[in-house]
Amino acid sequence: MYINEIIPKIPKYRLARKKILPPGKPFNLTFSVTNLCQSRCKTCNIWEIYKDSPEKRSNELSLSEIKSIFKSMGHIYLFNVSGGEPFLRRDFVDIIHAACKYLTPGVIHIPTNAIAEKQVVSKTKQIIELLRTSYPKTKLTIKPSLDHIGQKHDDIRGVPGNFDKVMSVFKSLSDLKPEYEHLHVELGTVISRWNVDDIREIAEFITRLDPDSYRNEIAEQRSEMLNLENPITPDATQYENAINFFVAELKGGMKQKRLFNRITNAFRLEYYDLAIRILKANKQVIPCYAGISNAHMTPYGDIWACCTLGYDKPMGNLRSHGYDFGSLWQSPQADAVRSYIKDGNCHCPMANQMYSNIMLHTPSLMKVLYNIAALKQQKQLS
C-alpha cells in the first residue's frame, strides 16, 4: 500500500529538503515517453514540437537507453506515464515491461486521449497479460481524458469525433476489468476557462458512467506544454465554485468504492483544497518536494523536478551522465533546482506533485487519513 511504503521514508525526505541529508531516490517517476500527439488541445501545445522540429522525434530515448536508465534507478513505487500520447510509441508495451522489471512499481498510471482507439485497447490487453502472468500485484490505472460532453469536448481537444472515441475506449477498457483484478479504469477532466462553468454538467455525466475514479486537475501554464503565454487557467473563484460541487459528489460516491479508490479519492479531496489555497495566495501553501520525492523524465532523457519548471529549470540530461540516474540526481545542477523550489520561487497546484507533498506534510496527511476512516465508516453503515 502506498501510505505504508512511504511513511517510513518521510524523515529522510524532509531532511533532504533541508539539505541535511542528500536526496534519496524519488518514489514517484513520471516518464513522458513521447511528445507525439494527435490532439490539438486549447490547453496544450506539445503537438507543435514535432510539427516545427520533426527531427526531434528521432532523438527520443531508445528502448535500450530506457532500460539502462531504469536499471540505474531501482524501485519506484508510482510510475506515471505521460506524453504526448503514450500509446503512439511502437515499443510502449516493451517500455512498460522494462519498468515492471527494473522499477518494480506498485502502481502504473497511464492517461490517453483515446484517439488511437484500436492501439489503446490492443496495447492495454498486452499490458494486462504481462501484469497478470508476471507482475500480478501491480495496480494499473488507465485514464481517458474527458474535458466536456459531445461536440464541446471535441472543440477543446481540437479533434472531431474525439468524444465518441473516449466513450468507446472507456467501455472497451471497462470490459477488460474481469481479466485483471487490479485494473482501474478512470476518467479525467482538465478544468480550464473553457469548461470551468460547466463542471456540474460534466461531473453528473461522468458519474452516470461509473468509472472507478474521476480525476480533476486545473489547467496550468507549464514549460512542458509550451503554453506559458496562453491564459488557460480559471481564476480562484471560478475554480472554487466548480470544485465545491465536485467535492460534494465525490464524498457521496466514495463510500461505494473499493479501499484503493477511497484512499485515492481522499487524497484528491485534500488536493482540491490546497489547489484553491494556492490560487488565492499565489505562493506555496505547504512545502514542495519536487526534485526530491518526484522526478520527471522527458522523451530525450532530461530530468526535471517537475513539468511546470520543465525546460526552464532542468536538472540535467541522463545521456551526458552515462544513463546513471544517481549521478545526475546528486549533481550540483540538480541541487540548484531544489534550492530554487525550497526558497519559494515557484508555486503551482500540479496534482501529481501535490499528492506527494500531502504525503510529506503531517497536517495534510492527517486530514487524508481522517477522510479514509470516515468514509470506511460510512460504507459499513450504508
Side-chain angles (χ1 to χ4, degrees), residues 242-275:
I243 287 302
N244 282 342
F245 168 78
F246 177 70
V247 166
E249 290 291 299
L250 191 61
K251 287 182 177 179
M254 276 204 309
K255 62 185 178 182
Q256 306 301 328
K257 300 295 184 180
R258 290 177 285 180
L259 177 61
F260 176 74
N261 300 104
R262 295 202 308 275
I263 292 172
T264 302
N265 288 340
F267 271 92
R268 286 178 193 149
L269 288 173
E270 180 62 9
Y271 160 71
Y272 296 136
D273 179 64
L274 291 171

Side-chain angles (χ1 to χ4, degrees), residues 1-15 21 25 27 77 359-360 365:
M1 192 66 66
Y2 190 23
I3 294 175
N4 292 341
E5 178 163 343
I6 303 307
I7 284 180
K9 300 179 181 179
I10 288 177
K12 291 183 179 179
Y13 286 118
R14 289 178 174 170
L15 291 172
L21 289 178
K25 290 186 301 184
F27 59 75
Y77 181 79
M359 284 288 304
L360 297 164
L365 181 58

Side-chain angles (χ1 to χ4, degrees), residues 193-207:
R193 66 185 184 93
W194 291 282
N195 62 10
V196 66
D197 295 325
D198 301 327
I199 288 301
R200 177 168 187 155
E201 176 189 1
I202 298 167
E204 287 178 343
F205 176 81
I206 289 178
T207 298

Side-chain angles (χ1 to χ4, degrees), residues 122-181:
S122 173
K123 290 181 180 180
T124 298
K125 288 180 179 179
Q126 294 176 57
I127 293 169
I128 287 174
E129 182 62 18
L130 167 69
L131 297 180
R132 190 178 62 80
T133 57
S134 301
Y135 307 96
K137 295 183 179 180
T138 301
K139 294 180 175 64
L140 173 66
T141 68
I142 310 287
K143 185 194 71 176
S145 298
L146 186 61
D147 288 348
H148 218 301
I149 304 168
Q151 182 64 44
K152 291 181 179 179
H153 172 81
D154 295 353
D155 291 343
I156 293 172
R157 290 277 165 165
V159 178
N162 195 172
F163 174 80
D164 291 337
K165 290 190 174 185
V166 171
M167 292 296 95
S168 176
V169 166
F170 175 75
K171 182 181 184 307
S172 296
L173 294 178
S174 297
D175 290 343
L176 294 176
K177 289 196 289 185
E179 296 185 20
Y180 188 61
E181 64 175 327

Side-chain angles (χ1 to χ4, degrees), residues 44-335:
C44 174
N45 297 319
I46 277 182
W47 63 272
E48 292 184 348
I49 293 175
Y50 294 154
K51 173 190 171 186
D52 296 337
S53 304
E55 70 279 359
K56 281 189 175 182
R57 188 178 177 189
S58 64
N59 196 39
E60 291 184 349
L61 292 167
S62 67
L63 181 61
S64 62
E65 289 178 304
I66 292 167
K67 287 180 179 179
S68 295
I69 292 167
F70 286 174
K71 286 179 185 178
S72 78
M73 295 188 73
H75 177 58
I76 297 290
Y77 181 79
L78 182 56
F79 181 56
N80 283 301
V81 181
S82 186
E85 167 55 36
F87 286 94
L88 292 183
R89 267 204 70 142
R90 294 179 181 178
D91 56 358
F92 184 52
V93 177
D94 294 325
I95 292 173
I96 298 299
H97 193 177
C100 290
K101 182 177 181 179
Y102 299 114
L103 303 180
T104 62
V107 178
I108 299 172
H109 173 69
I110 309 171
T112 178
N113 59 27
I115 295 173
E117 181 180 352
K118 292 182 180 179
Q119 288 173 257
V120 172
V121 176
S122 173
K123 290 181 180 180
T124 298
K125 288 180 179 179
Q126 294 176 57
I127 293 169
I128 287 174
E129 182 62 18
L130 167 69
L131 297 180
R132 190 178 62 80
T133 57
S134 301
Y135 307 96
K137 295 183 179 180
T138 301
K139 294 180 175 64
L140 173 66
T141 68
I142 310 287
K143 185 194 71 176
S145 298
L146 186 61
D147 288 348
H148 218 301
I149 304 168
Q151 182 64 44
K152 291 181 179 179
H153 172 81
D154 295 353
D155 291 343
I156 293 172
R157 290 277 165 165
V159 178
N162 195 172
F163 174 80
D164 291 337
K165 290 190 174 185
V166 171
M167 292 296 95
S168 176
V169 166
F170 175 75
K171 182 181 184 307
S172 296
L173 294 178
S174 297
D175 290 343
L176 294 176
K177 289 196 289 185
E179 296 185 20
Y180 188 61
E181 64 175 327
H182 297 311
L183 173 65
H184 300 267
V185 182
E186 307 180 337
L187 288 168
T189 298
V190 177
I191 301 178
S192 68
R193 66 185 184 93
W194 291 282
N195 62 10
V196 66
D197 295 325
D198 301 327
I199 288 301
R200 177 168 187 155
E201 176 189 1
I202 298 167
E204 287 178 343
F205 176 81
I206 289 178
T207 298
R208 291 194 294 271
L209 296 175
D210 194 29
D212 289 318
S213 184
Y214 175 36
R215 298 186 184 223
N216 273 289
E217 61 179 292
I218 193 167
E220 297 177 80
Q221 292 171 305
R222 299 179 184 174
S223 170
E224 175 199 29
M225 294 182 175
L226 310 180
N227 63 4
L228 295 178
E229 304 301 321
N230 300 347
I232 63 175
T233 308
D235 65 39
T237 301
Q238 287 179 307
Y239 183 68
E240 184 173 20
N241 290 338
I243 287 302
N244 282 342
F245 168 78
F246 177 70
V247 166
E249 290 291 299
L250 191 61
K251 287 182 177 179
M254 276 204 309
K255 62 185 178 182
Q256 306 301 328
K257 300 295 184 180
R258 290 177 285 180
L259 177 61
F260 176 74
N261 300 104
R262 295 202 308 275
I263 292 172
T264 302
N265 288 340
F267 271 92
R268 286 178 193 149
L269 288 173
E270 180 62 9
Y271 160 71
Y272 296 136
D273 179 64
L274 291 171
I276 292 169
R277 289 170 57 192
I278 290 170
L279 289 175
K280 288 182 175 180
N282 286 316
K283 65 178 183 180
Q284 294 179 21
V285 297
I286 64 174
C288 182
Y289 289 82
I292 298 173
S293 63
N294 293 39
H296 188 118
M297 185 164 73
T298 75
Y300 321 111
D302 301 298
I303 292 294
W304 298 339
C306 69
C307 59
T308 301
L309 295 179
Y311 296 106
D312 294 335
K313 295 288 180 182
M315 303 179 88
N317 185 277
L318 284 161
R319 283 171 168 154
S320 62
H321 281 266
Y323 306 106
D324 182 356
F325 180 83
S327 170
L328 185 153
W329 199 239
Q330 304 291 344
S331 68
Q333 183 176 342
D335 190 58

